[in-house]
Every structure is written in C-alpha cells, then in structure tokens.
Amino acid sequence: MRFRVEFDAPRHYESLLRERLPLMRWQSGEHVTMPLLRRLVDEARVATQEALATDGYFSAKVQAAIEETSGQAVVRLQVEPGPRTRVASVRLDFQGAALADQEGRERIEAV
C-alpha cells in the first residue's frame, strides 16, 4: 500500500519531522500493510511528542489519523506545540564526600 503524509504543524517542526521520522522513509515502499502503517503512525506520534518535549513543549498535542482513499492512504499528523516551558532558576544541593575534600568544595563553588 502506498501512502503520503500531510502535516498540520508549525513550519519549523514540519521540516524537522519530514527529515527525521522513520515513517517518511516508508512512503515509497510497496510492501506496507495497514497493520504496519498503523504501527509506524503510532511511533511517529510518540516520536513527535518526544521531539517537541526536548524543545520545551511538554504539553504538546499530537494527533494522527489514517484515511484510505482509492488504494492510497493519507496519514495526517496534526501538531499543536502548546506553551513552551522555561526554567527560571535552578538550585543545586550537594552532599557526600566532595564536601569533605578541598578540591571537591572548590569544584562545587565553581558551579
């Protein structure tokens, strides 16, 4: 079965996903079955959420659907990044042997 992928996503992420999702490499394959396509689409949905999370979008919504039309399937991936998470500050507390050692304390202070 042949299929094509359509994205509804911010342009930057669409081009990134087109380059990196394994699903894209299967488009030209003749031996893709519907069960395989479903698995690939589910993996693409999860990979898209993970990619957005690495960019600070931890509550991204990614929806995937497969539509069959006249011998060809259309995979639609809809991506809504949502609000970006930003870290304002970080507090580190150290414990253990490094505190008892002069060199360790110096390294900790350098952080």
Side-chain angles (χ1 to χ4, degrees):
M1 166 191 308
R2 295 177 83 49
F3 68 94
R4 72 178 195 276
V5 180
E6 295 181 359
F7 290 91
D8 180 9
R11 185 170 296 154
H12 168 74
Y13 292 107
E14 179 179 345
S15 61
L16 179 74
L17 296 170
R18 284 190 184 281
E19 291 174 14
R20 302 221 174 135
L21 286 178
L23 171 70
M24 303 306 292
R25 292 190 292 270
W26 287 83
Q27 285 186 99
S28 59
E30 299 279 333
H31 304 292
V32 176
T33 61
M34 186 52 79
L36 174 59
L37 182 58
R38 284 188 191 108
R39 190 179 88 223
L40 290 168
V41 168
D42 191 48
E43 290 172 357
R45 186 184 55 74
V46 171
T48 300
Q49 287 176 313
E50 290 172 352
L52 289 166
T54 63
D55 210 14
Y57 296 99
F58 295 104
S59 57
K61 293 180 182 162
V62 180
Q63 296 179 350
I66 302 171
E67 299 173 5
E68 286 186 85
T69 55
S70 62
Q72 184 179 17
V74 177
V75 174
R76 298 186 196 284
L77 283 171
Q78 183 178 6
V79 179
E80 295 177 30
R84 185 179 228 172
T85 301
R86 298 194 184 272
V87 177
S89 66
V90 176
R91 178 183 166 180
L92 300 175
D93 292 321
F94 296 92
Q95 299 177 1
L99 295 173
D101 178 76
Q102 178 63 30
E103 182 183 351
R105 285 192 302 272
E106 290 172 2
R107 288 183 178 200
I108 289 170
E109 289 175 15
V111 174

